[in-house]
Amino acid sequence: MDTKVLRKISYGVYIVTSREGDRFNGQAANAVMQVCSSPPVVAIAINKENLTHAFIKKSGVFAVSILAQDAPASLIGKFGFKSGRELNKFEGMSYRLGVNSCPIIEEHTVGYFGGKVTKELDAGTHTIFMGEVQEGELRNDAEPMTYAYYHVVKGGTTPKTAPTYIEKDAETKPEQKEGKSMKKYKCSVCGYIYDPAKGDADGGIPPGTPFEKLPDDWTCPVCGASKADFEPEN
């Protein structure tokens, strides 16, 4: 079975947040969907290992910020590849609190909604939280980021705790093209691949820039790892 076919399902890219008392946390997610309209009910799949899961379980509330296409990969990397147990993800972020006191991301989003959990479904590694939407706002008419756009255009990778994660050794490696003059490099932390042919638009690196020519202080656009954490792709 080729599980990559499941990536063709139309996923979005979101920041799901919750709270425990006066502590906040959030994570990147793609498994978010509406299941009812009256009242509006959504389903969100969250890995049981994540701190956001613990916060939603305890508080019973959540908020979902819908990312726009212009959201930098670094924003997704901060919420998708870093743990709230190790850092405050909201430091330096523009956000406000919703009616349920969950943080709502104000930058690079097209809108948000928030609500309360009404039911939980055990899905093995994940819990599917069913929640009634209590508030929501469409901020602008910008295009929301899709999962496909994140992978193809942004060059993003998938966290191990995501429901769509595929083991690296189970994926089919792309064929090596003959006559390649510039080698791709892979981040050993998150798996992001720097492709010289594409450069790094968010980091101001134009297409055609070899990895060796990147500034010494250049960092992975997804997880923030240093240039030294990259290795030539096989």
Side-chain angles (χ1 to χ4, degrees), residues 96-109:
R96 67 181 178 85
L97 301 183
V99 296
N100 60 11
S101 297
C102 290
I104 297 162
I105 307 298
E106 296 273 45
E107 51 191 310
H108 304 296
T109 59

Side-chain angles (χ1 to χ4, degrees), residues 48-123:
K48 295 175 181 177
E49 296 180 2
N50 292 353
L51 184 60
T52 302
H53 182 280
F55 280 17
I56 295 177
K57 285 278 289 186
K58 182 163 289 190
S59 67
V61 292
F62 63 88
V64 178
S65 297
I66 305 170
L67 293 184
Q69 280 189 358
D70 70 353
S74 58
L75 172 61
I76 302 172
K78 184 176 187 179
F79 282 89
F81 291 92
K82 298 180 185 297
S83 172
R85 297 182 177 91
E86 301 170 356
L87 81 162
N88 176 9
K89 297 184 181 182
F90 296 92
E91 184 175 355
M93 293 288 301
S94 175
Y95 72 94
R96 67 181 178 85
L97 301 183
V99 296
N100 60 11
S101 297
C102 290
I104 297 162
I105 307 298
E106 296 273 45
E107 51 191 310
H108 304 296
T109 59
V110 302
Y112 78 93
F113 54 88
K116 62 178 180 180
V117 175
T118 56
K119 188 176 182 180
E120 298 179 15
L121 175 64
D122 191 320

Side-chain angles (χ1 to χ4, degrees), residues 36 66 111 121 136 158 164:
C36 293
I66 305 170
L121 175 64
T158 305
T164 51

Side-chain angles (χ1 to χ4, degrees), residues 45-48 53 121-128 160-164:
I46 302 293
N47 192 287
K48 295 175 181 177
H53 182 280
L121 175 64
D122 191 320
T125 58
H126 289 64
T127 296
I128 298 175
K160 289 184 177 181
T161 55
T164 51

